[in-house]
Amino acid sequence: GAYITNTTPTIEFQVKDTDSGVNAGTIAITVDGTAVSTVTKTAIDGGYKCTCTSPTLKDGSHTISVKASDNDGNAAAAKTATFTVDTVPPTLQITAPSNDLITNKKTVTVSGKTDDVSSKPVTVTVNGATVTVGTDGTFTKDVTLVEGANTITIVAKDKAGKTTTVTRKVTVDTSAPVIKSVTLTRNPVDCGKTFIIAVEITD
């Protein structure tokens, strides 16, 4: 049931028999039906501790199967285990807010979608807070902002521990602009003449 990022994992297992002992020559392991030719067998009390390296695996689910017999010729039922290789981080699309958004509101809704082919479900955090992810991979989260610059960090993490991070910069501006001055040129204005109105505004 493990989720791993290593495409050539080390496999360890033990084979024991308390009666006639384990016939070391019968110990065999396959990965997805392919025999692993090199297995290191270390004698332990009642049998052997075995280690080997898996052949290079693709992303997805894989099955290990181990067989062995004792010195009386009794074959053990095969022992199997499954695991998943995942070398690709999850996808993460943020639909809102847009980056470098300027708003006069103190709350913004973060929304997006995530997915991972090999290791679902994907978990999502927004500024460290866990977000509920729907079965279709969509999520939303309201984030409280402060006046000025804000950074929102969204992280998607799959079951193998690989992550994808997206950040959004949002600026909160609740102050109205200030009209500093209004000038007329020419001043005073003559009837029928052209004049210029100049306004200085700061924000």
Side-chain angles (χ1 to χ4, degrees), residues 72-174:
D72 290 330
N74 299 307
K79 181 74 173 181
T80 62
T82 60
F83 63 97
T84 300
V85 173
D86 181 13
T87 62
V88 180
T91 60
L92 179 59
Q93 299 174 334
I94 304 302
T95 54
S98 58
N99 197 31
D100 295 325
L101 172 69
I102 300 176
T103 179
N104 62 356
K105 301 185 182 301
K106 290 294 186 74
T107 302
V108 68
T109 298
V110 176
S111 58
K113 186 174 184 178
T114 185
D115 193 17
D116 190 276
V117 174
S118 300
S119 53
K120 299 177 183 180
V122 178
T123 60
V124 173
T125 60
V126 176
N127 285 350
T130 301
V131 178
T132 300
V133 180
T135 55
D136 61 351
T138 59
F139 60 89
T140 60
K141 175 69 173 178
D142 288 339
V143 176
T144 301
L145 306 172
V146 298
E147 188 79 15
N150 295 262
T151 299
I152 302 173
T153 303
I154 307 100
V155 180
K157 183 178 182 180
D158 65 23
K159 294 182 73 174
K162 299 191 77 63
T163 60
T164 300
T165 301
V166 174
T167 59
R168 287 287 186 265
K169 304 290 187 181
V170 178
T171 300
V172 176
D173 179 10
T174 59

